[in-house]
mmCIF file of all heavy atoms in Angstrom:
data_model
loop_
_atom_site.group_PDB
_atom_site.id
_atom_site.type_symbol
_atom_site.label_atom_id
_atom_site.label_comp_id
_atom_site.label_asym_id
_atom_site.label_seq_id
_atom_site.Cartn_x
_atom_site.Cartn_y
_atom_site.Cartn_z
ATOM 1 N N ASP A 151 88.889 -82.297 -54.999
ATOM 2 C CA ASP A 151 88.071 -82.526 -53.811
ATOM 3 C C ASP A 151 88.893 -83.268 -52.759
ATOM 4 O O ASP A 151 89.675 -84.163 -53.084
ATOM 5 C CB ASP A 151 86.829 -83.346 -54.184
ATOM 6 C CG ASP A 151 85.748 -83.318 -53.113
ATOM 7 O OD1 ASP A 151 86.007 -83.830 -52.000
ATOM 8 O OD2 ASP A 151 84.659 -82.804 -53.390
ATOM 9 N N GLU A 152 88.702 -82.894 -51.495
ATOM 10 C CA GLU A 152 89.469 -83.557 -50.437
ATOM 11 C C GLU A 152 89.112 -85.044 -50.322
ATOM 12 O O GLU A 152 89.887 -85.825 -49.780
ATOM 13 C CB GLU A 152 89.241 -82.855 -49.101
ATOM 14 C CG GLU A 152 87.827 -82.945 -48.558
ATOM 15 C CD GLU A 152 87.681 -82.301 -47.183
ATOM 16 O OE1 GLU A 152 88.714 -81.971 -46.575
ATOM 17 O OE2 GLU A 152 86.533 -82.133 -46.719
ATOM 18 N N THR A 203 78.077 -74.179 -54.791
ATOM 19 C CA THR A 203 79.301 -74.470 -55.530
ATOM 20 C C THR A 203 80.306 -75.177 -54.619
ATOM 21 O O THR A 203 80.133 -75.236 -53.401
ATOM 22 C CB THR A 203 79.936 -73.175 -56.079
ATOM 23 O OG1 THR A 203 80.148 -72.258 -54.995
ATOM 24 C CG2 THR A 203 79.034 -72.521 -57.115
ATOM 25 N N GLY A 204 81.370 -75.699 -55.233
ATOM 26 C CA GLY A 204 82.475 -76.292 -54.494
ATOM 27 C C GLY A 204 83.717 -75.444 -54.684
ATOM 28 O O GLY A 204 84.031 -75.041 -55.805
ATOM 29 N N SER A 205 84.412 -75.170 -53.620
ATOM 30 C CA SER A 205 85.550 -74.244 -53.688
ATOM 31 C C SER A 205 86.670 -74.751 -54.594
ATOM 32 O O SER A 205 87.477 -73.960 -55.088
ATOM 33 C CB SER A 205 86.107 -73.982 -52.284
ATOM 34 O OG SER A 205 86.691 -75.156 -51.743
ATOM 35 N N ARG A 206 86.711 -76.084 -54.842
ATOM 36 C CA ARG A 206 87.792 -76.653 -55.658
ATOM 37 C C ARG A 206 87.286 -77.178 -57.009
ATOM 38 O O ARG A 206 87.965 -77.971 -57.656
ATOM 39 C CB ARG A 206 88.477 -77.781 -54.892
ATOM 40 C CG ARG A 206 89.150 -77.310 -53.601
ATOM 41 C CD ARG A 206 89.821 -78.451 -52.869
ATOM 42 N NE ARG A 206 90.483 -78.000 -51.650
ATOM 43 C CZ ARG A 206 91.116 -78.802 -50.794
ATOM 44 N NH1 ARG A 206 91.172 -80.115 -51.036
ATOM 45 N NH2 ARG A 206 91.679 -78.313 -49.712
ATOM 46 N N ASN A 229 79.147 -71.644 -50.928
ATOM 47 C CA ASN A 229 80.344 -72.264 -51.483
ATOM 48 C C ASN A 229 80.899 -73.240 -50.457
ATOM 49 O O ASN A 229 81.345 -72.830 -49.377
ATOM 50 C CB ASN A 229 81.382 -71.175 -51.813
ATOM 51 C CG ASN A 229 82.564 -71.725 -52.576
ATOM 52 O OD1 ASN A 229 82.415 -72.616 -53.404
ATOM 53 N ND2 ASN A 229 83.744 -71.183 -52.311
ATOM 54 N N ILE A 230 80.861 -74.534 -50.757
ATOM 55 C CA ILE A 230 81.285 -75.567 -49.817
ATOM 56 C C ILE A 230 82.791 -75.774 -49.931
ATOM 57 O O ILE A 230 83.302 -76.129 -51.001
ATOM 58 C CB ILE A 230 80.518 -76.878 -50.060
ATOM 59 C CG1 ILE A 230 79.011 -76.633 -49.831
ATOM 60 C CG2 ILE A 230 81.037 -77.984 -49.151
ATOM 61 C CD1 ILE A 230 78.141 -77.846 -50.050
ATOM 62 N N GLN A 231 83.470 -75.540 -48.843
ATOM 63 C CA GLN A 231 84.919 -75.599 -48.837
ATOM 64 C C GLN A 231 85.434 -77.018 -49.050
ATOM 65 O O GLN A 231 84.869 -77.991 -48.555
ATOM 66 C CB GLN A 231 85.459 -75.046 -47.512
ATOM 67 C CG GLN A 231 85.149 -73.576 -47.283
ATOM 68 C CD GLN A 231 85.717 -72.692 -48.383
ATOM 69 O OE1 GLN A 231 86.892 -72.800 -48.746
ATOM 70 N NE2 GLN A 231 84.891 -71.808 -48.923
ATOM 71 N N ARG A 232 86.516 -77.106 -49.834
ATOM 72 C CA ARG A 232 87.238 -78.356 -50.103
ATOM 73 C C ARG A 232 86.424 -79.351 -50.923
ATOM 74 O O ARG A 232 86.789 -80.514 -51.039
ATOM 75 C CB ARG A 232 87.747 -79.008 -48.799
ATOM 76 C CG ARG A 232 88.736 -78.152 -48.026
ATOM 77 C CD ARG A 232 89.170 -78.792 -46.728
ATOM 78 N NE ARG A 232 88.038 -78.958 -45.826
ATOM 79 C CZ ARG A 232 87.518 -77.976 -45.075
ATOM 80 N NH1 ARG A 232 88.051 -76.765 -45.119
ATOM 81 N NH2 ARG A 232 86.509 -78.200 -44.272
ATOM 82 N N ALA A 233 85.306 -78.886 -51.480
ATOM 83 C CA ALA A 233 84.499 -79.734 -52.366
ATOM 84 C C ALA A 233 84.783 -79.366 -53.812
ATOM 85 O O ALA A 233 85.227 -78.247 -54.105
ATOM 86 C CB ALA A 233 83.010 -79.558 -52.065
ATOM 87 N N ALA A 234 84.511 -80.291 -54.727
ATOM 88 C CA ALA A 234 84.698 -80.029 -56.157
ATOM 89 C C ALA A 234 83.318 -79.948 -56.824
ATOM 90 O O ALA A 234 82.446 -79.225 -56.352
ATOM 91 C CB ALA A 234 85.585 -81.096 -56.789
ATOM 92 N N SER A 240 80.287 -85.558 -52.025
ATOM 93 C CA SER A 240 81.484 -85.527 -51.194
ATOM 94 C C SER A 240 81.230 -84.924 -49.816
ATOM 95 O O SER A 240 81.875 -85.304 -48.834
ATOM 96 C CB SER A 240 82.593 -84.735 -51.898
ATOM 97 O OG SER A 240 82.202 -83.389 -52.123
ATOM 98 N N HIS A 241 80.290 -83.978 -49.744
ATOM 99 C CA HIS A 241 80.013 -83.279 -48.489
ATOM 100 C C HIS A 241 78.490 -83.203 -48.278
ATOM 101 O O HIS A 241 77.910 -82.114 -48.252
ATOM 102 C CB HIS A 241 80.614 -81.877 -48.516
ATOM 103 C CG HIS A 241 82.105 -81.855 -48.617
ATOM 104 N ND1 HIS A 241 82.786 -82.178 -49.775
ATOM 105 C CD2 HIS A 241 83.062 -81.555 -47.693
ATOM 106 C CE1 HIS A 241 84.088 -82.074 -49.554
ATOM 107 N NE2 HIS A 241 84.284 -81.709 -48.308
ATOM 108 N N GLU A 244 77.089 -80.899 -45.340
ATOM 109 C CA GLU A 244 77.161 -79.467 -45.614
ATOM 110 C C GLU A 244 76.149 -79.056 -46.686
ATOM 111 O O GLU A 244 75.510 -78.012 -46.587
ATOM 112 C CB GLU A 244 78.569 -79.070 -46.057
ATOM 113 C CG GLU A 244 79.617 -79.163 -44.971
ATOM 114 C CD GLU A 244 80.308 -80.519 -44.936
ATOM 115 O OE1 GLU A 244 79.681 -81.535 -45.345
ATOM 116 O OE2 GLU A 244 81.474 -80.563 -44.507
ATOM 117 N N SER A 263 80.028 -67.168 -48.984
ATOM 118 C CA SER A 263 81.143 -67.694 -49.768
ATOM 119 C C SER A 263 82.283 -68.127 -48.854
ATOM 120 O O SER A 263 83.237 -68.702 -49.287
ATOM 121 C CB SER A 263 81.626 -66.647 -50.772
ATOM 122 O OG SER A 263 82.077 -65.502 -50.103
#
Side-chain angles (χ1 to χ4, degrees):
D151 195 296
E152 66 176 349
T203 55
S205 67
R206 297 180 179 178
N229 188 36
I230 298 180
Q231 296 301 311
R232 298 178 297 281
S240 61
H241 297 73
E244 291 91 332
S263 61

